[in-house]
Amino acid sequence: MKKLYPLIALAIVVVIAGLYGLEQYRKLREQQQAQTAYLITRCVNQGLLSLFSLQANDWQSNPGQLNEEEERLKQRVAALPDTVGVQKPFADWQGALDVCDRLTVNSNRQHRTIFRPLTEMAKKDIWRLDTAKSEQFQERRIKAIYRTRIAAEAADRYLDDLRADVKRLLDTNRISPEARALTDQQLQKAIFDKYRKGQFSKQRVLQYLERQESFYQLLTDNPKGFTLRGGSLFFYNKNLHRQADDLNRALLQGEVDFFSNWRLIVQH
């Protein structure tokens, strides 16, 4: 019996060591899962902060803001991993890095889709009345309006597209179920419960674009029906004058509202 005591003691030590090792492993995995969720949530938040910066921009006075903000977003996201303090990379961490990289590319692409057309809409040269008879300028106007319609659709569904994009990236990257569950929880709390769709009105934006298209198309279709005198349009036909005057008045009244709408895509 006495010979069994050392064996029993050894078994107890082994069990205790095993339990301690399992506890340490559990704590390590919890830490890694938290680091993974934190990094992805911060990446998503950086994209939204970039959107807010673009929303606030005056596209007439600062058309280069889009390119500048694109570079800033890349730099901010690239600096995030160093703030987490991961000493040794692990599988979930690599998955999180991949998600961040793809998400940054997609966010910048979405921001270009939404805001690049505004740089065209804010250019005064293509909307000048002395270009009303120019087919070349009319082609530019048609392209600008078409792209802005696409931008309005993208702006209207921005948060829905962001949520779907994040989900798709998480689904296609090798992130453990535990880290994924924690990431989903933190994203919901820090992002999707905090940010919500703004007062952006796709209907009013599209209405303005329709009137703008109709106004310039009316002038393009009737090049002999008017002339430019002292910076103002002079019409030879009363009916044409009335149609153009009604459309132009609506455009002047709606211009401020049109550009203001792009400041209201997302709010918190």
Side-chain angles (χ1 to χ4, degrees):
M1 186 66 181
K2 291 182 179 180
K3 293 181 179 180
L4 292 177
Y5 290 156
L7 295 176
I8 294 173
L10 178 61
I12 293 173
V13 170
V14 170
V15 170
I16 292 174
L19 292 174
Y20 178 78
L22 287 174
E23 179 65 14
Q24 291 300 107
Y25 176 75
R26 184 186 64 80
K27 289 181 178 180
L28 175 62
R29 289 294 297 136
E30 287 180 350
Q31 181 186 44
Q32 291 176 341
Q33 291 158 17
Q35 290 169 330
T36 299
Y38 176 80
L39 178 63
I40 294 173
T41 303
R42 287 289 305 277
C43 286
V44 176
N45 192 63
Q46 285 298 325
L48 281 163
L49 293 178
S50 181
L51 173 74
F52 275 100
S53 177
L54 293 168
Q55 282 188 159
N57 186 51
D58 183 336
W59 295 101
Q60 184 175 345
S61 62
N62 189 19
Q65 172 75 2
L66 183 60
N67 292 335
E68 294 171 5
E69 188 57 39
E70 182 173 339
E71 289 304 315
R72 276 196 290 265
L73 178 58
K74 291 178 182 177
Q75 293 171 9
R76 288 195 296 262
V77 172
L80 283 178
D82 291 338
T83 68
V84 182
V86 171
Q87 301 298 323
K88 184 178 180 181
F90 48 93
D92 284 344
W93 181 253
Q94 188 57 54
L97 292 175
D98 292 341
V99 168
C100 281
D101 288 344
R102 290 305 310 165
L103 187 62
T104 302
V105 171
N106 294 348
S107 291
N108 277 330
R109 182 185 297 119
Q110 187 77 327
H111 295 165
R112 286 195 301 272
T113 297
I114 294 172
F115 294 106
R116 190 172 297 283
L118 289 187
T119 63
E120 284 294 312
M121 296 298 294
K123 289 179 179 177
K124 295 296 185 181
D125 64 326
I126 66 172
W127 310 111
R128 291 200 320 262
L129 293 178
D130 60 359
T131 67
K133 297 183 181 183
S134 169
E135 293 184 3
Q136 179 182 359
F137 275 91
Q138 181 62 3
E139 289 180 3
R140 287 180 59 187
R141 287 188 284 263
I142 290 173
K143 288 180 180 178
I145 291 171
Y146 171 75
R147 290 167 181 161
T148 308
R149 285 193 174 108
I150 295 175
E153 296 288 346
D156 187 60
R157 61 174 190 266
Y158 185 89
L159 280 179
D160 289 338
D161 284 352
L162 176 62
R163 184 190 289 270
D165 192 31
V166 172
K167 181 181 184 303
R168 180 183 60 80
L169 290 172
L170 290 173
D171 287 343
T172 56
N173 278 275
R174 296 180 179 179
I175 296 177
S176 66
E178 295 82 5
R180 170 65 185 272
L182 184 59
T183 300
D184 287 340
Q185 179 184 342
Q186 291 194 10
L187 284 171
Q188 187 62 44
K189 181 179 179 181
I191 303 296
F192 298 114
D193 286 345
K194 178 180 177 182
Y195 298 98
R196 61 186 184 276
K197 186 176 180 179
Q199 299 302 312
F200 177 85
S201 174
K202 183 179 73 171
Q203 180 183 2
R204 294 206 305 272
V205 167
L206 294 179
Q207 184 182 58
Y208 178 86
L209 293 173
E210 182 179 354
R211 289 170 175 169
Q212 194 167 42
E213 184 177 43
S214 297
F215 175 71
Y216 284 96
Q217 192 62 53
L218 181 68
L219 300 182
T220 302
D221 291 343
N222 298 275
K224 296 182 179 180
F226 69 94
T227 187
L228 195 65
R229 294 181 181 177
S232 300
L233 294 175
F234 177 81
F235 294 90
Y236 304 116
N237 180 284
K238 289 184 178 180
N239 184 49
L240 181 63
H241 185 188
R242 180 184 56 78
Q243 293 181 61
D245 200 41
D246 289 345
L247 286 168
N248 191 41
R249 187 183 303 109
L251 287 174
L252 292 174
Q253 292 174 349
E255 183 177 11
V256 172
D257 178 69
F258 170 79
F259 283 103
S260 295
N261 256 289
W262 302 93
R263 297 174 178 266
L264 305 171
I265 299 171
V266 175
Q267 63 185 31
H268 62 81

